[in-house]
Amino acid sequence: MMAAPVWAQSITAPGLIGSAACAGPGEATAPVSGSVTNVSTTGVTLLSGTYNNLFSALRALSGDGGPTEFVIQYKVRNARTNAQAATASAGRITSSNPNLNASNLPISSLAAKTAYVYTVETTASGFGEARPLLRRCFMTGGTYTPANESGQPGFVANTTSGCFSISPRTPQDIRNCLCGRSRIWNNDAQNTAARAALGCAN
């Protein structure tokens, strides 16, 4: 019996969401809530929740003598190079406009198989990129063609085979490749748990 050709071993991964995809600072919610959904090879949808009286919360964080208005921005950056991939404005938070409205931002034209970080930031003094109001990690999906799949010469389980043969490789690349498989384990409960633990996108 002959092994399948390498091209037949391609795995199309939908991407990663959550701390498993972080390449740098971890996730944070302080004080805004939000999430990442619909991650694909080149796109994602970014969500942030409503925050009533965000002005008071930011004034409390900035302390006496701090800013009295807060320009809010949504940003997506390449987590490894810090290059900005997308930005959108959420307006100004002031005493007369104290609330942050919920947002649903579809983003496209991202690079495949790339780790990104989504932040909600204010440009006010003392905040910025170093102190975001929300930080979420994700990695776009893509197609991997790893060598040494099961049944091929050189196969060594969980080491140099399959998704572990990607070079150069990072933990995010391996997870994203594994997430591209419909099954990691034969047992349904194990498979569901493993996909959840890896941060696989649904």
Side-chain angles (χ1 to χ4, degrees), residues 33-123:
S33 65
S35 60
V36 173
T37 186
N38 299 329
V39 65
S40 68
T41 302
T42 59
V44 69
T45 299
L46 308 174
L47 308 173
S48 71
T50 298
Y51 195 107
N52 291 323
N53 206 357
L54 180 59
F55 177 76
S56 291
L58 295 177
R59 286 287 293 149
L61 289 171
S62 58
D64 292 340
T68 57
E69 72 171 21
F70 304 87
V71 176
I72 305 295
Q73 296 180 328
Y74 306 109
K75 293 188 177 183
V76 177
R77 294 183 180 87
N78 182 307
R80 294 192 178 95
T81 67
N82 208 40
Q84 192 165 292
T87 185
S89 174
R92 295 175 184 271
I93 299 295
T94 64
S95 59
S96 59
N97 182 39
N99 303 328
L100 178 68
N101 295 323
S103 69
N104 183 323
L105 301 171
I107 305 292
S108 59
S109 301
L110 298 175
K113 298 187 286 188
T114 302
Y116 288 96
V117 60
Y118 157 49
T119 58
V120 177
E121 301 175 15
T122 175
T123 58

Side-chain angles (χ1 to χ4, degrees), residues 5-28:
V6 171
W7 59 264
Q9 306 298 330
S10 293
I11 299 166
T12 300
L16 297 174
I17 295 173
S19 58
C22 290
E27 297 195 315

Side-chain angles (χ1 to χ4, degrees), residues 128-168:
E129 181 184 351
R131 193 181 179 191
L133 310 180
L134 172 74
R135 184 191 295 115
R136 289 287 180 261
C137 305
F138 67 95
M139 182 177 182
T140 49
T143 300
Y144 296 84
T145 307
N148 300 329
E149 289 288 355
S150 178
Q152 293 183 342
F155 175 77
V156 181
N158 298 330
T159 54
T160 60
S161 63
C163 293
F164 293 88
S165 69
I166 298 166
S167 180

